[in-house]
Amino acid sequence: MTADVPSFPPLKPRDPADIGGYRTVGRLGAGGMGAVYAARSPAGELVAVKLVHGDLAADPDFRARFRREADLVGRVVGPCVPRFLAQDTDADQPWLVTEYVSGPTLRQHVREHGPLSGAPLHAFATGIAEALRAIHAAGIVHRDLKPGNVILAPDGPKVLDFGIARAIDETAITSTGGLFGTPGWVAPELLRGSPPSVAADVFAWGGLVAYAATGRSPFGTGSAETMAVRVLDGEPDLAGVPEALMPLVRAATGQDPNRRPTVEQALAELLCADQATVVGPGPEATELVTRVLREGWEAPPPPTVFTGDPAPRRRPRRRRPWLPAGAAVSALVLVAAGVWVAGDRFAEEPVETGETGEVADAGAVEQGVGEQVAVEIASNGLFMVHADPNGTLDITPGFDGAGSALPEGVDRAESVVASVNVGTVFADVQEQSGVQVFGELEYLAEEGEFTLRAGDLGLLEVGDDWDPLPDDPTADGRPAHTADPDDVLVTVSPDSPDAEFAVDFADAPQSGLLTYLPAANALGGEAEVAGVYTCYMNWHPYPPVDMTDEEYVPCPAERPE
């Protein structure tokens, strides 16, 4: 850690002041399982504390999952993983504590300062391989190695987030059998149904080194299905990877897991050492890695904090997505998971307008004539926002069933603007009342910005008096719980594409319909918008529940016995 005292996003009014003797000083993030806080230990050390949401702590499956995560984190020891410090998985709200790691994520650093090169790149590849060696030596597969889960700390890269890691010899704790991971970083054999293995982590390591060297994801960007097709059928884009690293990276990102190098083989080559030196958790390999980091690593600058007046609003430009030939995308629908998001759109092209088919320039389209914005449900709790300046999305403004469907022929990778990943918990954990809708917003266009307001989200009650699957849930007189429509939760743009949000509905019941209808000016102009609704249940392990026609689950007014 540096001598400077970092600043953190402030605590919210209902955030705890103390967790197990650790004094909270800021909020680092939140997700479906809980929140992560910056805190001070009794000795004054800065630490990271992960706290399970209060309502989920009562769920035996969630408690078992968290207990398992704490056990996994406690097994791993190495210079490139945060130190495990403490845990209490039997507390009313279970928690665990690790070393606080300062620095930007790899993704932040590449976005703001470009790729790594030379000795720092070699040190990065070595450090991540060392982290995987320590993880695998503890009998664990990470399963979600990606740029957002690597911190570039002053003393070297650190691999974070064991939330979906699993013991190599263990049966996963899941009731759905879904595929965990992030598109473009999930190995092809996992997409085909094989169980997680150390070879899958090696695949992600190769992609991570390529990303660090080039600033590009080796399988590009796009929707979950498109990314999966590229991994299965396409060759990774490795142009720009240095010659010294190319053989290792190419082999690591190969299709056949049996032909990929092991972590020990990769580390031995990077260290110019005999493979026997790096097998197991012995001190010799750790000392060699520490020397490489000490001699080659350069502490990165801290991530930029965007302040001041926002840039002038510009309409997004169209870009043709890279679409591979080969495997059918429809066969891959089942791989979608809550953490999977769709990719880029928008590059500037002339567009046809009017009955004559005349070509209009971008400036004419930017007047907002006919602009439409539509929301789709991509998977549990994952909304995809699409936009078209010519009004070709064929939407019905407002609500039109459980989920808006884009017309045939619309390229989703071409029209997508943003993803909104949501969940629900108690608004007041102590009183176990109200509902908080929280989540993450990611901007996926190259220009412009997108704003999420509190009033875009709403909670509607359910019961025998109302249609369980209405065309327009706001039109049948059921009680509605709303927030201030002028309260801006977050605004995202290419310069700052990721943001977390939360909005409280103090009087809402613990089950109902969650609606999302973007404001007409969410993209800066005026547009016709179509919204969606889904079921939320605060006792469900992965709220809200998917409400597509094929997987519709009636939303109960009370928790089933």
PDB file of all heavy atoms in Angstrom, residues 368-403:
ATOM      1  N   GLY A 368     -33.367  13.627 -33.122  1.00  0.00           N
ATOM      2  CA  GLY A 368     -34.185  12.782 -32.273  1.00  0.00           C
ATOM      3  C   GLY A 368     -35.511  12.400 -32.884  1.00  0.00           C
ATOM      4  O   GLY A 368     -36.373  11.859 -32.212  1.00  0.00           O
ATOM      5  N   VAL A 369     -35.704  12.695 -34.183  1.00  0.00           N
ATOM      6  CA  VAL A 369     -36.967  12.374 -34.826  1.00  0.00           C
ATOM      7  C   VAL A 369     -37.121  10.861 -34.899  1.00  0.00           C
ATOM      8  O   VAL A 369     -36.299  10.176 -35.493  1.00  0.00           O
ATOM      9  CB  VAL A 369     -37.013  12.984 -36.242  1.00  0.00           C
ATOM     10  CG1 VAL A 369     -38.312  12.593 -36.922  1.00  0.00           C
ATOM     11  CG2 VAL A 369     -36.879  14.494 -36.163  1.00  0.00           C
ATOM     12  N   GLY A 370     -38.179  10.354 -34.278  1.00  0.00           N
ATOM     13  CA  GLY A 370     -38.450   8.925 -34.370  1.00  0.00           C
ATOM     14  C   GLY A 370     -37.579   8.046 -33.493  1.00  0.00           C
ATOM     15  O   GLY A 370     -37.637   6.829 -33.608  1.00  0.00           O
ATOM     16  N   GLU A 371     -36.770   8.613 -32.616  1.00  0.00           N
ATOM     17  CA  GLU A 371     -35.890   7.797 -31.780  1.00  0.00           C
ATOM     18  C   GLU A 371     -36.708   6.882 -30.885  1.00  0.00           C
ATOM     19  O   GLU A 371     -37.725   7.271 -30.317  1.00  0.00           O
ATOM     20  CB  GLU A 371     -35.005   8.694 -30.912  1.00  0.00           C
ATOM     21  CG  GLU A 371     -34.179   7.937 -29.881  1.00  0.00           C
ATOM     22  CD  GLU A 371     -32.689   8.013 -30.137  1.00  0.00           C
ATOM     23  OE1 GLU A 371     -32.247   9.009 -30.715  1.00  0.00           O
ATOM     24  OE2 GLU A 371     -31.986   7.083 -29.743  1.00  0.00           O
ATOM     25  N   GLN A 372     -36.256   5.634 -30.764  1.00  0.00           N
ATOM     26  CA  GLN A 372     -36.916   4.670 -29.892  1.00  0.00           C
ATOM     27  C   GLN A 372     -35.894   4.001 -28.988  1.00  0.00           C
ATOM     28  O   GLN A 372     -34.755   3.757 -29.383  1.00  0.00           O
ATOM     29  CB  GLN A 372     -37.645   3.599 -30.715  1.00  0.00           C
ATOM     30  CG  GLN A 372     -38.852   4.118 -31.477  1.00  0.00           C
ATOM     31  CD  GLN A 372     -39.625   3.001 -32.160  1.00  0.00           C
ATOM     32  OE1 GLN A 372     -39.089   1.927 -32.419  1.00  0.00           O
ATOM     33  NE2 GLN A 372     -40.896   3.254 -32.429  1.00  0.00           N
ATOM     34  N   VAL A 373     -36.312   3.727 -27.768  1.00  0.00           N
ATOM     35  CA  VAL A 373     -35.486   3.014 -26.786  1.00  0.00           C
ATOM     36  C   VAL A 373     -36.318   1.862 -26.258  1.00  0.00           C
ATOM     37  O   VAL A 373     -37.471   2.049 -25.855  1.00  0.00           O
ATOM     38  CB  VAL A 373     -35.059   3.935 -25.625  1.00  0.00           C
ATOM     39  CG1 VAL A 373     -34.315   3.150 -24.561  1.00  0.00           C
ATOM     40  CG2 VAL A 373     -34.191   5.077 -26.143  1.00  0.00           C
ATOM     41  N   ALA A 374     -35.751   0.668 -26.268  1.00  0.00           N
ATOM     42  CA  ALA A 374     -36.461  -0.525 -25.801  1.00  0.00           C
ATOM     43  C   ALA A 374     -35.587  -1.298 -24.833  1.00  0.00           C
ATOM     44  O   ALA A 374     -34.359  -1.285 -24.942  1.00  0.00           O
ATOM     45  CB  ALA A 374     -36.847  -1.415 -26.985  1.00  0.00           C
ATOM     46  N   VAL A 375     -36.224  -1.971 -23.885  1.00  0.00           N
ATOM     47  CA  VAL A 375     -35.509  -2.776 -22.895  1.00  0.00           C
ATOM     48  C   VAL A 375     -35.909  -4.233 -23.069  1.00  0.00           C
ATOM     49  O   VAL A 375     -37.083  -4.555 -23.249  1.00  0.00           O
ATOM     50  CB  VAL A 375     -35.835  -2.318 -21.460  1.00  0.00           C
ATOM     51  CG1 VAL A 375     -35.026  -3.122 -20.445  1.00  0.00           C
ATOM     52  CG2 VAL A 375     -35.554  -0.831 -21.297  1.00  0.00           C
ATOM     53  N   GLU A 376     -34.916  -5.119 -23.017  1.00  0.00           N
ATOM     54  CA  GLU A 376     -35.154  -6.555 -23.070  1.00  0.00           C
ATOM     55  C   GLU A 376     -34.644  -7.204 -21.794  1.00  0.00           C
ATOM     56  O   GLU A 376     -33.686  -6.723 -21.183  1.00  0.00           O
ATOM     57  CB  GLU A 376     -34.420  -7.186 -24.252  1.00  0.00           C
ATOM     58  CG  GLU A 376     -35.073  -6.995 -25.597  1.00  0.00           C
ATOM     59  CD  GLU A 376     -34.430  -7.922 -26.612  1.00  0.00           C
ATOM     60  OE1 GLU A 376     -33.202  -7.854 -26.778  1.00  0.00           O
ATOM     61  OE2 GLU A 376     -35.152  -8.714 -27.229  1.00  0.00           O
ATOM     62  N   ILE A 377     -35.267  -8.308 -21.392  1.00  0.00           N
ATOM     63  CA  ILE A 377     -34.759  -9.126 -20.297  1.00  0.00           C
ATOM     64  C   ILE A 377     -33.821 -10.160 -20.902  1.00  0.00           C
ATOM     65  O   ILE A 377     -34.244 -11.023 -21.667  1.00  0.00           O
ATOM     66  CB  ILE A 377     -35.893  -9.824 -19.533  1.00  0.00           C
ATOM     67  CG1 ILE A 377     -36.832  -8.793 -18.915  1.00  0.00           C
ATOM     68  CG2 ILE A 377     -35.324 -10.741 -18.450  1.00  0.00           C
ATOM     69  CD1 ILE A 377     -38.040  -9.394 -18.223  1.00  0.00           C
ATOM     70  N   ALA A 378     -32.518 -10.070 -20.569  1.00  0.00           N
ATOM     71  CA  ALA A 378     -31.534 -10.983 -21.127  1.00  0.00           C
ATOM     72  C   ALA A 378     -31.397 -12.244 -20.281  1.00  0.00           C
ATOM     73  O   ALA A 378     -31.163 -13.327 -20.796  1.00  0.00           O
ATOM     74  CB  ALA A 378     -30.174 -10.293 -21.245  1.00  0.00           C
ATOM     75  N   SER A 379     -31.501 -12.113 -18.984  1.00  0.00           N
ATOM     76  CA  SER A 379     -31.443 -13.252 -18.067  1.00  0.00           C
ATOM     77  C   SER A 379     -31.896 -12.749 -16.712  1.00  0.00           C
ATOM     78  O   SER A 379     -32.328 -11.603 -16.578  1.00  0.00           O
ATOM     79  CB  SER A 379     -30.025 -13.845 -17.994  1.00  0.00           C
ATOM     80  OG  SER A 379     -29.116 -12.925 -17.434  1.00  0.00           O
ATOM     81  N   ASN A 380     -31.818 -13.577 -15.675  1.00  0.00           N
ATOM     82  CA  ASN A 380     -32.305 -13.181 -14.364  1.00  0.00           C
ATOM     83  C   ASN A 380     -31.670 -11.869 -13.905  1.00  0.00           C
ATOM     84  O   ASN A 380     -30.473 -11.788 -13.675  1.00  0.00           O
ATOM     85  CB  ASN A 380     -31.994 -14.268 -13.329  1.00  0.00           C
ATOM     86  CG  ASN A 380     -32.901 -15.464 -13.484  1.00  0.00           C
ATOM     87  OD1 ASN A 380     -33.838 -15.440 -14.273  1.00  0.00           O
ATOM     88  ND2 ASN A 380     -32.614 -16.519 -12.754  1.00  0.00           N
ATOM     89  N   GLY A 381     -32.496 -10.824 -13.787  1.00  0.00           N
ATOM     90  CA  GLY A 381     -32.020  -9.555 -13.272  1.00  0.00           C
ATOM     91  C   GLY A 381     -31.151  -8.763 -14.219  1.00  0.00           C
ATOM     92  O   GLY A 381     -30.559  -7.767 -13.818  1.00  0.00           O
ATOM     93  N   LEU A 382     -31.048  -9.169 -15.498  1.00  0.00           N
ATOM     94  CA  LEU A 382     -30.193  -8.469 -16.448  1.00  0.00           C
ATOM     95  C   LEU A 382     -31.046  -7.865 -17.560  1.00  0.00           C
ATOM     96  O   LEU A 382     -31.669  -8.588 -18.340  1.00  0.00           O
ATOM     97  CB  LEU A 382     -29.153  -9.413 -17.045  1.00  0.00           C
ATOM     98  CG  LEU A 382     -28.181  -8.777 -18.048  1.00  0.00           C
ATOM     99  CD1 LEU A 382     -27.362  -7.677 -17.385  1.00  0.00           C
ATOM    100  CD2 LEU A 382     -27.265  -9.839 -18.638  1.00  0.00           C
ATOM    101  N   PHE A 383     -31.097  -6.535 -17.599  1.00  0.00           N
ATOM    102  CA  PHE A 383     -31.846  -5.819 -18.622  1.00  0.00           C
ATOM    103  C   PHE A 383     -30.863  -5.257 -19.650  1.00  0.00           C
ATOM    104  O   PHE A 383     -29.836  -4.695 -19.282  1.00  0.00           O
ATOM    105  CB  PHE A 383     -32.631  -4.643 -18.021  1.00  0.00           C
ATOM    106  CG  PHE A 383     -33.615  -5.042 -16.952  1.00  0.00           C
ATOM    107  CD1 PHE A 383     -33.859  -4.204 -15.871  1.00  0.00           C
ATOM    108  CD2 PHE A 383     -34.300  -6.245 -17.009  1.00  0.00           C
ATOM    109  CE1 PHE A 383     -34.770  -4.545 -14.892  1.00  0.00           C
ATOM    110  CE2 PHE A 383     -35.206  -6.604 -16.037  1.00  0.00           C
ATOM    111  CZ  PHE A 383     -35.448  -5.763 -14.968  1.00  0.00           C
ATOM    112  N   MET A 384     -31.189  -5.378 -20.923  1.00  0.00           N
ATOM    113  CA  MET A 384     -30.402  -4.789 -21.990  1.00  0.00           C
ATOM    114  C   MET A 384     -31.206  -3.644 -22.611  1.00  0.00           C
ATOM    115  O   MET A 384     -32.376  -3.815 -22.961  1.00  0.00           O
ATOM    116  CB  MET A 384     -30.062  -5.821 -23.072  1.00  0.00           C
ATOM    117  CG  MET A 384     -29.388  -7.078 -22.549  1.00  0.00           C
ATOM    118  SD  MET A 384     -27.907  -6.767 -21.543  1.00  0.00           S
ATOM    119  CE  MET A 384     -26.898  -5.854 -22.691  1.00  0.00           C
ATOM    120  N   VAL A 385     -30.576  -2.472 -22.714  1.00  0.00           N
ATOM    121  CA  VAL A 385     -31.231  -1.290 -23.265  1.00  0.00           C
ATOM    122  C   VAL A 385     -30.767  -1.105 -24.713  1.00  0.00           C
ATOM    123  O   VAL A 385     -29.567  -1.051 -24.982  1.00  0.00           O
ATOM    124  CB  VAL A 385     -30.887  -0.036 -22.448  1.00  0.00           C
ATOM    125  CG1 VAL A 385     -31.608   1.183 -23.014  1.00  0.00           C
ATOM    126  CG2 VAL A 385     -31.253  -0.242 -20.980  1.00  0.00           C
ATOM    127  N   HIS A 386     -31.727  -1.038 -25.635  1.00  0.00           N
ATOM    128  CA  HIS A 386     -31.440  -0.853 -27.054  1.00  0.00           C
ATOM    129  C   HIS A 386     -31.984   0.487 -27.516  1.00  0.00           C
ATOM    130  O   HIS A 386     -32.984   0.985 -26.991  1.00  0.00           O
ATOM    131  CB  HIS A 386     -32.072  -1.969 -27.883  1.00  0.00           C
ATOM    132  CG  HIS A 386     -31.581  -3.337 -27.537  1.00  0.00           C
ATOM    133  ND1 HIS A 386     -30.545  -3.964 -28.201  1.00  0.00           N
ATOM    134  CD2 HIS A 386     -31.982  -4.206 -26.577  1.00  0.00           C
ATOM    135  CE1 HIS A 386     -30.334  -5.148 -27.668  1.00  0.00           C
ATOM    136  NE2 HIS A 386     -31.184  -5.325 -26.685  1.00  0.00           N
ATOM    137  N   ALA A 387     -31.363   1.070 -28.541  1.00  0.00           N
ATOM    138  CA  ALA A 387     -31.831   2.342 -29.080  1.00  0.00           C
ATOM    139  C   ALA A 387     -31.611   2.391 -30.578  1.00  0.00           C
ATOM    140  O   ALA A 387     -30.677   1.766 -31.102  1.00  0.00           O
ATOM    141  CB  ALA A 387     -31.103   3.513 -28.410  1.00  0.00           C
ATOM    142  N   ASP A 388     -32.483   3.121 -31.248  1.00  0.00           N
ATOM    143  CA  ASP A 388     -32.322   3.333 -32.675  1.00  0.00           C
ATOM    144  C   ASP A 388     -32.848   4.724 -33.015  1.00  0.00           C
ATOM    145  O   ASP A 388     -33.987   5.056 -32.671  1.00  0.00           O
ATOM    146  CB  ASP A 388     -33.075   2.278 -33.486  1.00  0.00           C
ATOM    147  CG  ASP A 388     -32.717   2.381 -34.962  1.00  0.00           C
ATOM    148  OD1 ASP A 388     -33.317   3.227 -35.639  1.00  0.00           O
ATOM    149  OD2 ASP A 388     -31.837   1.629 -35.427  1.00  0.00           O
ATOM    150  N   PRO A 389     -32.052   5.572 -33.690  1.00  0.00           N
ATOM    151  CA  PRO A 389     -32.485   6.938 -33.975  1.00  0.00           C
ATOM    152  C   PRO A 389     -33.562   7.024 -35.043  1.00  0.00           C
ATOM    153  O   PRO A 389     -34.179   8.073 -35.219  1.00  0.00           O
ATOM    154  CB  PRO A 389     -31.195   7.627 -34.442  1.00  0.00           C
ATOM    155  CG  PRO A 389     -30.344   6.521 -34.967  1.00  0.00           C
ATOM    156  CD  PRO A 389     -30.665   5.327 -34.125  1.00  0.00           C
ATOM    157  N   ASN A 390     -33.803   5.919 -35.781  1.00  0.00           N
ATOM    158  CA  ASN A 390     -34.779   5.943 -36.860  1.00  0.00           C
ATOM    159  C   ASN A 390     -36.112   5.326 -36.479  1.00  0.00           C
ATOM    160  O   ASN A 390     -37.006   5.217 -37.312  1.00  0.00           O
ATOM    161  CB  ASN A 390     -34.228   5.195 -38.072  1.00  0.00           C
ATOM    162  CG  ASN A 390     -32.971   5.846 -38.593  1.00  0.00           C
ATOM    163  OD1 ASN A 390     -32.925   7.049 -38.760  1.00  0.00           O
ATOM    164  ND2 ASN A 390     -31.938   5.054 -38.803  1.00  0.00           N
ATOM    165  N   GLY A 391     -36.263   4.870 -35.229  1.00  0.00           N
ATOM    166  CA  GLY A 391     -37.527   4.304 -34.804  1.00  0.00           C
ATOM    167  C   GLY A 391     -37.852   2.965 -35.419  1.00  0.00           C
ATOM    168  O   GLY A 391     -39.023   2.625 -35.609  1.00  0.00           O
ATOM    169  N   THR A 392     -36.848   2.156 -35.719  1.00  0.00           N
ATOM    170  CA  THR A 392     -37.084   0.862 -36.364  1.00  0.00           C
ATOM    171  C   THR A 392     -37.204  -0.294 -35.373  1.00  0.00           C
ATOM    172  O   THR A 392     -37.269  -1.444 -35.781  1.00  0.00           O
ATOM    173  CB  THR A 392     -35.949   0.546 -37.351  1.00  0.00           C
ATOM    174  OG1 THR A 392     -34.698   0.540 -36.646  1.00  0.00           O
ATOM    175  CG2 THR A 392     -35.898   1.576 -38.469  1.00  0.00           C
ATOM    176  N   LEU A 393     -37.203   0.001 -34.082  1.00  0.00           N
ATOM    177  CA  LEU A 393     -37.321  -1.077 -33.097  1.00  0.00           C
ATOM    178  C   LEU A 393     -38.750  -1.594 -32.983  1.00  0.00           C
ATOM    179  O   LEU A 393     -38.988  -2.607 -32.332  1.00  0.00           O
ATOM    180  CB  LEU A 393     -36.829  -0.605 -31.721  1.00  0.00           C
ATOM    181  CG  LEU A 393     -35.346  -0.243 -31.627  1.00  0.00           C
ATOM    182  CD1 LEU A 393     -34.997   0.216 -30.222  1.00  0.00           C
ATOM    183  CD2 LEU A 393     -34.468  -1.424 -32.031  1.00  0.00           C
ATOM    184  N   ASP A 394     -39.698  -0.898 -33.575  1.00  0.00           N
ATOM    185  CA  ASP A 394     -41.087  -1.360 -33.645  1.00  0.00           C
ATOM    186  C   ASP A 394     -41.656  -1.599 -32.253  1.00  0.00           C
ATOM    187  O   ASP A 394     -42.210  -2.646 -31.960  1.00  0.00           O
ATOM    188  CB  ASP A 394     -41.160  -2.647 -34.484  1.00  0.00           C
ATOM    189  CG  ASP A 394     -42.597  -2.997 -34.836  1.00  0.00           C
ATOM    190  OD1 ASP A 394     -43.425  -2.078 -34.927  1.00  0.00           O
ATOM    191  OD2 ASP A 394     -42.897  -4.203 -34.998  1.00  0.00           O
ATOM    192  N   ILE A 395     -41.515  -0.613 -31.381  1.00  0.00           N
ATOM    193  CA  ILE A 395     -41.941  -0.781 -29.992  1.00  0.00           C
ATOM    194  C   ILE A 395     -43.330  -0.200 -29.780  1.00  0.00           C
ATOM    195  O   ILE A 395     -43.819   0.620 -30.556  1.00  0.00           O
ATOM    196  CB  ILE A 395     -40.961  -0.109 -29.019  1.00  0.00           C
ATOM    197  CG1 ILE A 395     -41.015   1.418 -29.187  1.00  0.00           C
ATOM    198  CG2 ILE A 395     -39.562  -0.654 -29.172  1.00  0.00           C
ATOM    199  CD1 ILE A 395     -40.310   2.188 -28.100  1.00  0.00           C
ATOM    200  N   THR A 396     -43.961  -0.656 -28.722  1.00  0.00           N
ATOM    201  CA  THR A 396     -45.154  -0.016 -28.181  1.00  0.00           C
ATOM    202  C   THR A 396     -44.716   0.768 -26.955  1.00  0.00           C
ATOM    203  O   THR A 396     -44.201   0.182 -26.000  1.00  0.00           O
ATOM    204  CB  THR A 396     -46.211  -1.056 -27.784  1.00  0.00           C
ATOM    205  OG1 THR A 396     -46.587  -1.804 -28.941  1.00  0.00           O
ATOM    206  CG2 THR A 396     -47.422  -0.387 -27.176  1.00  0.00           C
ATOM    207  N   PRO A 397     -44.852   2.089 -26.955  1.00  0.00           N
ATOM    208  CA  PRO A 397     -44.387   2.868 -25.801  1.00  0.00           C
ATOM    209  C   PRO A 397     -45.038   2.393 -24.509  1.00  0.00           C
ATOM    210  O   PRO A 397     -46.196   1.964 -24.486  1.00  0.00           O
ATOM    211  CB  PRO A 397     -44.808   4.300 -26.156  1.00  0.00           C
ATOM    212  CG  PRO A 397     -44.878   4.310 -27.653  1.00  0.00           C
ATOM    213  CD  PRO A 397     -45.376   2.951 -28.021  1.00  0.00           C
ATOM    214  N   GLY A 398     -44.289   2.466 -23.414  1.00  0.00           N
ATOM    215  CA  GLY A 398     -44.786   2.001 -22.121  1.00  0.00           C
ATOM    216  C   GLY A 398     -44.506   0.526 -21.930  1.00  0.00           C
ATOM    217  O   GLY A 398     -43.416   0.040 -22.238  1.00  0.00           O
ATOM    218  N   PHE A 399     -45.481  -0.201 -21.422  1.00  0.00           N
ATOM    219  CA  PHE A 399     -45.320  -1.632 -21.171  1.00  0.00           C
ATOM    220  C   PHE A 399     -46.207  -2.430 -22.119  1.00  0.00           C
ATOM    221  O   PHE A 399     -47.345  -2.047 -22.400  1.00  0.00           O
ATOM    222  CB  PHE A 399     -45.678  -1.968 -19.721  1.00  0.00           C
ATOM    223  CG  PHE A 399     -44.749  -1.336 -18.724  1.00  0.00           C
ATOM    224  CD1 PHE A 399     -45.053  -0.113 -18.149  1.00  0.00           C
ATOM    225  CD2 PHE A 399     -43.569  -1.953 -18.374  1.00  0.00           C
ATOM    226  CE1 PHE A 399     -44.198   0.476 -17.233  1.00  0.00           C
ATOM    227  CE2 PHE A 399     -42.699  -1.373 -17.457  1.00  0.00           C
ATOM    228  CZ  PHE A 399     -43.019  -0.147 -16.886  1.00  0.00           C
ATOM    229  N   ASP A 400     -45.679  -3.525 -22.592  1.00  0.00           N
ATOM    230  CA  ASP A 400     -46.419  -4.380 -23.513  1.00  0.00           C
ATOM    231  C   ASP A 400     -46.070  -5.833 -23.230  1.00  0.00           C
ATOM    232  O   ASP A 400     -45.400  -6.488 -24.014  1.00  0.00           O
ATOM    233  CB  ASP A 400     -46.101  -4.014 -24.958  1.00  0.00           C
ATOM    234  CG  ASP A 400     -46.969  -4.773 -25.958  1.00  0.00           C
ATOM    235  OD1 ASP A 400     -48.050  -5.230 -25.561  1.00  0.00           O
ATOM    236  OD2 ASP A 400     -46.553  -4.900 -27.126  1.00  0.00           O
ATOM    237  N   GLY A 401     -46.501  -6.327 -22.070  1.00  0.00           N
ATOM    238  CA  GLY A 401     -46.190  -7.695 -21.691  1.00  0.00           C
ATOM    239  C   GLY A 401     -44.987  -7.774 -20.782  1.00  0.00           C
ATOM    240  O   GLY A 401     -44.362  -6.775 -20.432  1.00  0.00           O
ATOM    241  N   ALA A 402     -44.656  -9.006 -20.398  1.00  0.00           N
ATOM    242  CA  ALA A 402     -43.592  -9.222 -19.429  1.00  0.00           C
ATOM    243  C   ALA A 402     -42.225  -8.813 -19.944  1.00  0.00           C
ATOM    244  O   ALA A 402     -41.342  -8.472 -19.174  1.00  0.00           O
ATOM    245  CB  ALA A 402     -43.552 -10.692 -19.007  1.00  0.00           C
ATOM    246  N   GLY A 403     -42.032  -8.849 -21.251  1.00  0.00           N
ATOM    247  CA  GLY A 403     -40.741  -8.461 -21.788  1.00  0.00           C
ATOM    248  C   GLY A 403     -40.877  -7.992 -23.220  1.00  0.00           C
ATOM    249  O   GLY A 403     -41.474  -8.679 -24.042  1.00  0.00           O
TER     250      GLY A 403
END
